[in-house]
Amino acid sequence: WVGYLMQADSVTPDSDTYLIENRAWQGFSWKDTANEKQFIWEVRNRLEERFLPQNSDPSIRWRTRFRVEQLIPGWSPWSVIASEEIFVNLNDNSNNAQLQAGAQQNRLYVGIGYRFAPEVQVETGYLYQHVWKNPPSADQNNNIWMTNLNLNF
């Protein structure tokens, strides 16, 4: 898979000033099933080239996600989902102390899913995100309720 993302982040929650990130990525995933397709597991790897404001060189980042999904017996469209994703910066960025090589963040997710059709699923659940920061900044811990609509074609 390949893709592109343009993202606008506000400088502060109440700000009208935004920083624009352009990100190209390449990835591959491996998905398999067990227990008569009731248990689904996936490993996704992604290499990202992040073009950030005020940085002349791209920040290169590797992401790996492990995901498991268990269909609920007797409630076939419903499932329980868990995932773990690690983000690692592969290069140092001279203009941003928080974009140095090494582990950058970790995400742990638990939730439920409902499959409307083989190609359409809604997931909702809790995401814990830990972001490692370089001194003098303190590490950041985020507690997020997340809902996704997944379309697979």
Side-chain angles (χ1 to χ4, degrees):
W1 293 96
V2 296
Y4 169 78
L5 168 77
M6 185 177 82
Q7 177 176 315
D9 287 328
S10 62
V11 176
T12 62
D14 59 348
S15 173
D16 289 334
T17 303
Y18 294 90
L19 299 176
I20 304 296
E21 174 184 347
N22 290 284
R23 183 185 313 166
W25 55 266
Q26 308 79 44
F28 63 92
S29 61
W30 183 35
K31 191 174 189 178
D32 205 351
T33 62
N35 194 22
E36 298 178 6
K37 298 188 178 184
Q38 297 295 302
F39 182 78
I40 305 162
W41 61 277
E42 176 186 18
V43 177
R44 181 185 75 186
N45 291 284
R46 182 178 289 177
L47 180 66
E48 299 176 336
E49 298 83 31
R50 303 174 67 206
F51 299 90
L52 302 158
Q54 303 165 345
N55 292 316
S56 58
D57 296 325
S59 175
I60 310 298
R61 181 167 72 181
W62 183 265
R63 297 168 61 167
T64 297
R65 182 182 76 176
F66 301 96
R67 182 182 186 276
V68 294
E69 179 178 1
Q70 173 66 54
L71 300 181
I72 300 173
W75 297 20
S76 61
W78 291 94
S79 61
V80 177
I81 302 160
S83 69
E84 165 78 12
E85 185 170 22
I86 185 84
F87 295 63
V88 177
N89 287 330
L90 301 180
N91 65 328
D92 288 333
N93 190 304
S94 59
N95 295 328
N96 190 329
Q98 300 307 324
L99 292 176
Q100 303 307 304
Q104 189 225 4
Q105 65 176 281
N106 189 49
R107 294 179 180 177
L108 178 63
Y109 172 81
V110 290
I112 59 170
Y114 184 84
R115 192 172 306 278
F116 294 95
E119 305 83 15
V120 181
Q121 181 171 357
V122 170
E123 299 175 4
T124 189
Y126 170 74
L127 175 71
Y128 171 75
Q129 177 190 38
H130 181 85
V131 181
W132 287 280
K133 301 280 189 171
N134 291 323
S137 299
D139 288 358
Q140 183 178 346
N141 295 295
N142 299 312
N143 298 289
I144 303 161
W145 192 265
M146 186 170 75
T147 302
N148 292 325
L149 172 63
N150 299 322
L151 304 173
N152 295 308
F153 299 104

